[in-house]
């Protein structure tokens, strides 16, 4: 038997035509699990931008919003500023470790259940079945000459696919702007060009990837199968055909019974091809693990159904580990799933994953919503003043990450006799501290001057302190350096 | 493609095998999916369209224009024009506002300082340095020592009229005599004056030479530089008692100054730049840290 990936197809030679795949509908535990996950993921995707979250007058009230124009990211009670991008980096690290964890434990479960390509392809397949009927009807329709009924069905199918594509692309843009406003703008033609072009592009990709390319995306375009293949080990759960139980195949149930009666050896596989017919990537799992398998487990459902009908135990095709396979082949009992899942490698991954997550939660809880950062002016490093003192210049940034205006005091510590003023006033207003107003959700940037006596080390460390002057409180500090001319003896 | 007419088929996969062999390993001749080919053709068609629509083919001194006449330069021009349009009202306000009152309007002042920062980088850094820290003979604009004036209007006047610019009646001119060269003082007397100046600027302890210089200073220098060497901004005479020296405060530099005098120049920017830019430059220089409030 040739697997789908290597099938040369009709064209032969250098380029192969994509073989048509008509996955049959199937019911079973894993199919229902897939339905559930599909419902949840699609619901999250379509509903999220419409959730509201009260943040006060100065901030948007959308629960999840990527505000590119103002460079803010809102996620419920959490607001991320550009300089806090490490939270996004942390999420990416967690996603990476999470993928290790998931793959080491349950193989390519991401591919089979949660990957958007899988979810939308599944949705498209279902729409196709609703319109064209199941596998056999689809094959028949495919072969039928183009007549009125075929035209109607094809038009209906592609329109439905395009509609899903549009809704998908349409939902995406709501993450980047106030959803109700944008919806109104979209329909009145006033929305930004980029909104329409994003919808157009995502509609096209959803339609092409979900309707036309399907498993080709998984097999030829997606890098995950290669990476995930490398992350599996002999104790990862993958979809496996238990050939020691199935082989030799018998052609049909009747023949199997006959053979057993004669005392001949007969495997459990009756070669009914149900597992191949339901496979969305069109492969034959009985050829062993292969890159085309997304471990969606639909073949398990199909075969379990067959096993039930011929009164054999379920699990001829099942989630199993390589280790289990060896044990079972020798007639032993497989390791319980609990022990497959709970082992040192998965604990290590989980530990890492949780540590990053906990670190982020702790730092989110501890982060101040007032932030001071100071950068010293280097050109010139210092300026000699006519009264003999020395002046340094700094650029300070006060970030007010609250959605209310705030007043803060900037003072200097550890620089005796030091006085500061900002570039919009003059030396006459030099004081030990400076008051700065910061608008809600804004950064106040000031060039400020610090004057200190001529005598002292050529480079002296000191600190800028920030104190909130309102009842809400808050403080921050930043280290800085004061430079003086080298003392000439 | 196999040159061999006899095709070998791999038993396990049913796929054709390549004819070549390395160390006993033979490669499957897996065909590429056909849509891949189509995608490739599509990119070729796209590129043809791109060449037609956008400027693409280089000619001797230009390039094909493209059907829509789009160019990155055109884009830039549009962006510059748009930026100028947004600034137009601010620039107009700055033009109408007397320089003394600029400070009263923080937004205008901020805009002026930013505009001045840009203009400074083009026109002033050659002499005053990119950080405006100056160098020998070119004043440090960051400090609070001013030869003429340190308030906005004074800086503006200096900028507009320059220093020693012929043809500008209002230009700043200070006239220090060349005491040594013109034999108003002997070399020894010059040394004594230098000693005195270094004493009042606290660079040297009292000495007999400085003692002699006291009287020489009072007779020759105090008229401009003041009885206490505090300088006089009306005539552009520098303060000699502070630690800031335009040409150096060491003996050699001071001897040279007293002997031959110094005659720095600066262009009259009022003749070269538009009034708004000059105002912006004044605001920027004022903002560098040494700017003063106008005296009332
Ligand atoms: S569904 Fe089960 S019984 Fe049928 S061909 Fe596949 S493995 Fe064999
Ligand atoms: S072989 Fe089974 S698990 Fe793998 S993709 Fe096909 S149906 Fe899904």
């Amino acid at each position: 038997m040739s697997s789908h990936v290597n099938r040369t197809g009709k064209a032969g030679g250098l380029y192969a035509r994509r073989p048509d795949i008509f996955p049959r509908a199937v019911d079973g535990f894993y199919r229902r699990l897939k339905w559930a996950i599909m419902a949840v993921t699609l619901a999250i995707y379509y509903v999220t931008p419409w959730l509201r979250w009260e943040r006060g007058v100065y901030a948007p009230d959308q629960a999840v919003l990527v505000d590119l124009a103002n460079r803010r990211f809102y996620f419920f009670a959490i607001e991320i500023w550009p300089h806090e991008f490490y939270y996004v980096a942390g999420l990416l690290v967690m996603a990476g470790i999470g993928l290790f964890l998931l793959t080491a434990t349950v193989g390519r479960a991401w591919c089979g259940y949660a990957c958007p390509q899988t979810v939308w392809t599944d949705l498209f397949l279902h729409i196709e079945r609703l319109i064209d009927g199941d596998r056999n009807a689809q094959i028949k329709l495919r072969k039928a000459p183009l007549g009125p009924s075929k035209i109607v069905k094809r038009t209906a199918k592609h329109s439905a696919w395009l509609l899903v594509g549009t809704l998908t692309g349409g939902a995406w843009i709501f993450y980047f702007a106030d959803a109700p406003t944008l919806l109104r703008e979209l329909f009145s033609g006033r929305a930004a060009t980029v909104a329409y072009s994003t919808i157009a592009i995502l509609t096209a990709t959803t339609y092409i990837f979900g309707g036309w390319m399907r498993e080709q995306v998984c097999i030829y375009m997606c890098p995950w199968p290669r990476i995930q293949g490398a992350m599996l080990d002999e104790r990862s759960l993958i979809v496996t055909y238990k050939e020691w139980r199935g082989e030799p195949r018998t052609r049909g149930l009747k023949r199997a019974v006959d053979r057993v009666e004669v005392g001949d050896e007969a495997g459990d596989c009756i070669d009914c091809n149900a597992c191949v017919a339901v496979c969305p990537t069109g492969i034959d799992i009985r050829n062993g693990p292969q890159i085309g398998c997304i471990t969606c487990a639909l073949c398990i459902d199909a075969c379990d159904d067959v096993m039930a009908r011929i009164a054999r135990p379920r699990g001829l095709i099942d989630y199993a580990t390589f280790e289990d396979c060896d044990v079972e082949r020798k007639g032993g009992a497989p390791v319980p799933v609990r022990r497959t899942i709970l082992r040192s490698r998965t604990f290590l991954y989980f530990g890492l994953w949780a540590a990053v997550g906990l670190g982020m939660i702790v730092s989110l809880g501890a982060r101040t919503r007032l932030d001071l950062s100071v950068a010293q002016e280097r050109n010139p490093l210092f300026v000699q003043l006519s009264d003999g003192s020395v002046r340094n210049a700094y650029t300070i940034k006060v970030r007010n990450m609250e959605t209310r205006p705030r007043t803060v005091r900037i003072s200097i510590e550890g620089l005796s006799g030091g006085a500061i003023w900002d570039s919009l006033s003059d030396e006459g207003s030099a004081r030990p501290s400076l008051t700065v107003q910061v608008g809600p959700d804004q950064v106040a940037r000031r060039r400020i001057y610090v004057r200190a006596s001529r005598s002292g080390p050529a480079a002296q460390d000191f600190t800028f302190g920030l104190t909130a002057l309102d009842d809400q409180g808050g403080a921050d500090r930043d280290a800085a350096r004061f430079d003086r001319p080298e003392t000439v003896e | 493609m196999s040159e061999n007419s006899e095709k070998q088929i791999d038993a396990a996969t049913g796929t054709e095998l390549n004819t070549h062999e390395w160390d006993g390993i033979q490669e499957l001749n897996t065909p590429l999916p056909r849509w891949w080919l189509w995608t490739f053709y599509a990119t070729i068609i796209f590129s043809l369209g791109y060449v037609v629509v956008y400027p693409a083919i280089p000619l001797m001194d230009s390039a094909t224009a493209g059907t829509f006449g789009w160019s990155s330069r055109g884009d830039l021009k549009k962006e510059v024009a748009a930026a100028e349009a947004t600034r137009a009202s601010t620039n107009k306000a700055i033009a109408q506002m007397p320089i003394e009152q600029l400070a009263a309007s923080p937004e205008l002042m901020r805009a002026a300082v930013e505009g001045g920062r840009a203009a400074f980088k083009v026109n002033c850094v050659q002499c005053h340095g990119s950080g405006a820290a100056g160098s020998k003979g070119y004043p440090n604009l960051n400090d609070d020592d001013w030869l003429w004036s340190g308030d906005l209007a004074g800086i503006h006047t200096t900028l507009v009229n320059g220093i020693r610019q012929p043809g500008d009646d209002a230009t700043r001119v200070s006239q220090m005599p060349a005491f040594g060269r013109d034999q108003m003082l002997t070399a020894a007397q010059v040394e004594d004056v230098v000693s005195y100046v270094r004493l009042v600027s606290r660079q040297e302890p009292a000495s007999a030479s400085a003692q002699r210089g006291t009287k020489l200073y009072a007779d020759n220098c105090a008229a401009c530089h003041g009885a206490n060497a505090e300088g006089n901004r009306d005539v552009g005479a520098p303060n000699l008692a502070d630690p800031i020296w335009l040409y150096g405060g060491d003996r050699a530099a001071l001897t040279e100054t007293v002997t031959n005098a110094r005659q720095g120049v600066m262009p009259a920017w009022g003749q070269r730049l538009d009034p708004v830019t000059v105002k912006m430059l004044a605001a920027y220089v004022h903002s560098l840290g040494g700017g003063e409030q106008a005296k009332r």
Side-chain angles (χ1 to χ4, degrees):
Chain A
M1 274 301 286
S2 64
S3 82
H4 157 67
V5 184
N6 291 322
R7 224 182 281 159
T8 35
K10 286 199 196 86
L14 278 176
Y15 301 99
R17 189 175 175 275
R18 171 180 178 261
D20 291 309
I21 299 171
F22 305 95
R24 213 190 65 202
V26 61
D27 191 28
F29 172 77
Y30 293 106
R31 177 66 259 186
R32 286 194 284 269
L33 183 62
K34 252 170 99 68
W35 281 130
I37 292 175
M38 183 197 210
V40 170
T41 47
L42 286 179
I44 290 175
Y45 178 73
Y46 286 113
V47 171
T48 305
W50 298 92
L51 301 176
R52 300 286 108 184
W53 191 266
E54 196 51 54
R55 291 193 183 86
V57 281
Y58 293 104
D61 65 350
Q62 188 157 321
V64 177
L65 178 67
V66 183
D67 189 350
L68 289 178
N70 299 308
R71 308 204 302 156
R72 298 280 183 279
F73 173 52
Y74 301 94
F75 188 81
F76 296 94
I78 302 168
E79 183 189 337
I80 304 281
W81 282 49
H83 73 282
E84 296 172 310
F85 196 75
Y86 43 77
Y87 286 117
V88 179
L91 282 180
L92 291 178
V93 170
M94 282 182 77
I97 302 174
L99 190 68
F100 292 176
L101 173 61
L102 201 69
T103 308
T105 320
V106 287
R108 291 175 58 189
W110 166 261
C111 293
Y113 298 91
C115 171
Q117 174 64 23
T118 295
V119 169
W120 264 277
T121 301
D122 213 18
L123 186 61
F124 275 51
L125 283 172
H126 191 64
I127 293 170
E128 190 167 47
R129 269 183 219 123
L130 280 179
I131 294 168
D132 292 353
D134 205 359
R135 180 180 162 88
N136 293 338
Q138 284 179 24
I139 294 174
K140 225 162 102 197
L141 188 66
R142 164 82 207 218
K143 288 197 187 123
L146 199 62
S149 114
K150 188 167 176 176
I151 292 177
V152 168
K153 279 185 172 163
R154 284 288 184 262
T155 317
K157 182 174 84 177
H158 290 287
S159 312
W161 281 356
L162 279 168
L163 180 71
V164 172
T166 315
L167 290 176
T168 306
W172 179 248
I173 60 169
F174 292 129
Y175 285 87
F176 297 86
D178 182 61
T181 317
L182 183 57
L183 186 67
R184 248 175 282 127
E185 287 178 352
L186 272 180
F187 282 111
S188 58
R190 282 178 294 115
T193 325
V194 62
Y196 293 109
S197 53
T198 306
I199 295 181
I201 289 169
L202 288 180
T203 303
T205 50
T206 311
Y207 172 69
I208 292 170
F209 284 11
W212 292 94
M213 301 199 57
R214 297 180 183 175
E215 81 290 345
Q216 305 266 304
V217 174
C218 310
I219 295 168
Y220 293 103
M221 294 165 70
C222 180
W224 283 134
R226 281 88 186 156
I227 300 169
Q228 287 184 318
M231 287 188 300
L232 297 172
D233 63 19
E234 54 291 331
R235 295 188 63 185
S236 311
L237 282 166
I238 54 168
V239 173
T240 317
Y241 166 68
K242 298 178 176 170
E243 95 288 340
W244 61 93
R245 186 183 135 188
E247 304 292 321
R249 296 170 201 175
T250 49
R251 289 222 157 261
L253 174 62
K254 177 101 181 32
R255 211 167 298 188
V257 175
D258 292 351
R259 271 217 232 173
V260 175
E261 271 172 5
V262 201
D264 251 357
E265 209 189 334
D268 279 349
C269 176
I270 57 167
D271 211 6
C272 63
N273 245 20
C275 51
V276 180
V278 299
C279 178
T281 67
I283 59 169
D284 186 344
I285 192 65
R286 291 173 299 170
N287 289 337
Q290 50 206 285
I291 204 161
C293 177
I294 57 173
T295 65
C296 63
L298 293 182
C299 53
I300 302 181
D301 281 343
C303 191
D304 280 353
D305 193 33
V306 175
M307 290 301 113
R309 277 192 272 145
I310 63 170
R312 299 292 303 159
R314 66 163 296 280
L316 173 56
I317 305 177
D318 206 357
Y319 273 113
T321 67
F322 285 133
E323 239 178 40
D324 288 345
C325 289
D326 279 346
V327 174
E328 281 192 57
R329 197 172 283 126
K330 291 180 192 127
V335 180
V337 169
R338 181 174 45 83
R339 291 218 1 244
T340 303
I341 292 173
L342 308 178
R343 61 198 166 100
S344 50
R345 183 159 168 212
T346 57
F347 275 129
L348 178 71
Y349 284 146
F350 181 77
L352 276 174
W353 184 83
V356 176
L358 265 176
M360 296 219 306
I361 290 173
V362 167
S363 99
L364 267 177
R367 70 183 181 159
T368 79
R369 302 277 75 196
L370 264 180
D371 177 83
L372 172 72
S373 64
V374 179
Q376 188 180 6
E377 190 73 56
R378 307 252 159 222
N379 180 19
L381 208 47
F382 54 80
V383 172
Q384 175 104 53
L385 297 179
S386 54
D387 65 356
S389 58
V390 177
R391 196 193 74 207
N392 283 204
Y394 304 83
T395 300
I396 61 163
K397 276 192 207 157
V398 180
R399 286 197 191 87
N400 171 18
M401 293 174 263
E402 304 262 355
T403 52
R404 72 195 83 191
R406 307 204 61 181
T407 307
V408 299
R409 190 176 57 220
I410 307 293
S411 52
I412 43 180
E413 296 147 26
L415 190 67
S416 63
I420 73 179
W421 70 97
D422 83 358
S423 67
L424 295 177
S425 57
D426 61 51
E427 202 184 341
S429 54
R431 300 278 180 281
S433 69
L434 184 76
T435 305
V436 176
Q437 319 273 351
V438 209
D441 205 41
Q442 272 175 10
V443 186
R445 199 164 167 277
R446 294 269 194 290
R447 184 183 155 91
I448 63 162
Y449 298 112
V450 175
R451 185 187 63 200
S453 100
R454 166 75 180 78
S455 55
Q460 183 178 358
D461 291 323
F462 72 106
T463 317
F464 278 94
L466 173 155
T467 324
L469 291 181
D470 46 32
D471 38 329
Q472 204 194 346
D476 194 24
R477 11 191 329 109
D478 198 9
R481 202 181 76 179
F482 192 85
D483 284 285
R484 294 185 172 88
E486 296 283 345
T487 321
V488 276
E489 295 306 325
Chain B
M1 240 183 294
S2 68
E3 312 94 57
N4 213 326
S5 56
E6 241 179 90
K7 280 185 186 165
Q8 282 179 282
I9 302 293
D10 174 55
T13 59
T15 306
E16 196 187 323
L17 281 164
N18 263 328
T19 43
H20 35 237
E21 185 183 320
W22 294 273
D23 294 340
I25 297 172
Q26 252 181 310
E27 198 184 7
L28 293 179
N29 191 3
T30 308
L32 218 53
R34 205 165 64 185
W35 58 262
W36 196 284
L37 191 67
W38 292 340
T39 311
F40 177 58
Y41 290 150
T43 60
I44 294 176
I45 292 166
F46 175 83
S47 70
L48 288 177
Y50 195 91
V51 164
V52 172
V53 172
Y54 286 99
I57 302 167
L59 307 172
M60 279 309 273
D61 48 6
S62 63
T64 49
T67 44
F68 297 134
W70 181 92
S71 76
S72 50
R73 271 163 207 264
D75 257 13
L76 178 69
K77 243 182 233 158
K78 255 184 251 160
E79 267 171 47
V80 169
E84 260 158 23
T86 58
R87 273 204 302 265
S89 68
T90 315
N91 282 5
K92 197 162 157 238
I94 292 175
Q96 286 165 351
M97 181 81 77
I99 185 85
E100 303 79 27
Q101 281 157 36
L102 208 52
S105 159
E107 305 93 81
L108 280 191
M109 189 67 181
R110 214 183 286 266
V113 167
E114 288 312 314
R117 190 192 308 281
F120 190 89
K121 292 217 166 81
V122 179
N123 300 292
C124 314
V125 293
Q126 293 84 343
C127 292
H128 291 284
S130 60
S135 61
K136 189 174 170 184
Y138 301 100
N140 182 344
L141 305 176
N142 292 286
D143 64 26
D144 60 345
D145 192 29
W146 299 93
L147 285 175
W148 296 97
S149 173
D151 61 42
L152 263 175
I155 294 172
H156 186 244
T157 305
T158 308
L159 268 159
V160 170
N161 302 305
I163 312 282
R164 295 187 184 86
Q165 282 306 297
D168 191 321
D169 295 339
T171 194
R172 308 277 202 194
V173 183
S174 62
Q175 279 297 351
M176 170 151 166
F179 286 100
R181 194 175 65 217
D182 295 344
Q183 285 156 17
M184 296 158 78
L185 296 175
T186 66
Q189 282 174 321
V190 169
E191 287 302 310
D192 291 343
V193 170
V194 167
S195 296
Y196 173 75
V197 167
R198 284 180 57 82
L199 170 67
V200 294
S201 59
R202 280 173 286 188
Q203 301 186 82
E204 254 178 38
S207 61
S209 169
Q211 185 65 40
R212 290 192 297 277
T214 310
K215 182 159 167 32
L216 286 166
Y217 177 88
D219 294 347
N220 296 285
C221 316
C224 290
H225 289 285
N228 302 315
E230 74 279 18
N232 180 353
R233 290 196 186 165
D234 293 337
V235 294
N239 180 342
L240 304 179
D242 69 18
I244 299 170
W245 298 96
L246 183 52
Y247 293 94
D250 53 303
R251 286 206 79 88
L254 284 172
T255 306
E256 164 66 18
T257 305
V258 178
T259 307
N260 291 320
R262 308 276 191 177
Q263 308 279 335
V265 294
M266 177 168 108
W269 291 103
Q271 297 166 10
R272 301 190 182 195
L273 301 176
D274 64 281
V276 173
T277 306
V278 177
K279 264 188 193 166
M280 286 177 161
L281 278 172
Y284 173 64
V285 170
H286 189 268
S287 81
L288 286 171
E292 297 168 350
Q293 301 283 55
K295 299 252 159 22
R296 268 160 260 272

